[in-house]
């Protein structure tokens, strides 16, 4: 595609790719202000909110996870990356197109108290809501029970 060829979501392909790359980069650079800037650009010109979250913010978090596994990033950087990602998601979430045609079910989701892995839980909850599920998010303080 040329720089002026429209993508499926209205923005020229190069602009769409620049926004997705900017969202990913904001997470990798641990920069909530940059995430907000590119999320706002996505809202204004495209790509749609779902694509911006999946192909932008989540892609950046995948890079951050790799850096963590290679011991280039540590827990403080993971938390800062999560803050950048959540800043972008907070702006994009009201613009998600929810499949209102059919209620697909109800889901209860939580993270066990003391577990710092709520980033994935939050993404799963967001995607389930978008797919038409009612999600009851119990947060990150659920008690674990042993049978």
């Amino acid at each position: 595609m040329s720089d002026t060829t429209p993508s499926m979501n209205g923005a020229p392909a190069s602009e769409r790719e620049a926004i997705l790359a900017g969202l990913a980069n904001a997470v990798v650079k641990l920069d909530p202000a940059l995430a907000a800037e590119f999320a706002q650009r996505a809202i204004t010109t495209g790509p749609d909110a779902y694509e911006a979250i999946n192909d932008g913010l989540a892609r950046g978090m995948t890079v951050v996870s790799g850096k963590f596994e290679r011991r280039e990033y540590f827990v403080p950087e993971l938390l800062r990356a999560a803050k950048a990602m959540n800043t972008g998601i907070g702006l994009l979430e009201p613009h998600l197109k929810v499949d209102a045609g059919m209620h697909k079910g109800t889901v209860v989701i939580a993270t066990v108290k003391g577990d710092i892995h709520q980033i994935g839980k939050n993404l799963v909850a967001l995607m389930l809501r978008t797919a038409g599920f009612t999600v009851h998010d119990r947060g990150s303080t659920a008690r674990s029970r042993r049978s």
Side-chain angles (χ1 to χ4, degrees):
M1 276 193 243
S2 72
D3 285 350
T4 58
T5 303
S7 72
M8 291 174 42
N9 296 318
S14 62
E15 176 69 7
R16 181 184 149 279
E17 289 303 319
I19 290 169
L20 294 173
L23 287 163
N25 193 42
V27 174
V28 174
K29 289 188 176 267
L30 319 173
D31 190 338
L34 190 61
E37 176 187 328
F38 279 97
Q40 197 58 51
R41 283 177 61 185
I43 292 164
T44 304
T45 63
D48 69 28
Y50 187 83
E51 185 179 12
I53 291 169
N54 278 330
D55 297 338
L57 296 168
R59 185 175 65 179
M61 206 60 190
T62 300
V63 173
V64 168
S65 294
K67 287 179 172 281
F68 181 74
E69 288 174 10
R70 292 186 304 275
R71 298 181 187 240
E72 295 171 27
Y73 277 6
F74 299 94
V75 172
E77 286 83 10
L78 284 180
L79 296 175
R80 289 176 59 205
K83 182 175 181 175
M85 185 176 75
N86 287 333
T87 297
I89 287 173
L91 291 169
L92 292 163
E93 187 171 13
H95 300 277
L96 285 170
K97 295 177 184 116
V98 177
D99 184 359
M102 180 190 311
H103 179 266
K104 295 182 179 167
T106 301
V107 176
V108 177
I109 192 167
T111 304
V112 177
K113 185 176 181 177
D115 188 347
I116 63 168
H117 298 97
Q118 65 180 331
I119 297 167
K121 174 198 63 85
N122 292 342
L123 279 174
V124 169
L126 181 67
M127 296 304 128
L128 287 169
R129 281 188 192 102
T130 303
F133 288 86
T134 299
V135 178
H136 298 282
D137 189 342
R138 303 297 297 171
S140 58
T141 59
R143 292 185 183 172
S144 63
R145 279 193 274 178
R146 295 180 190 236
S147 303

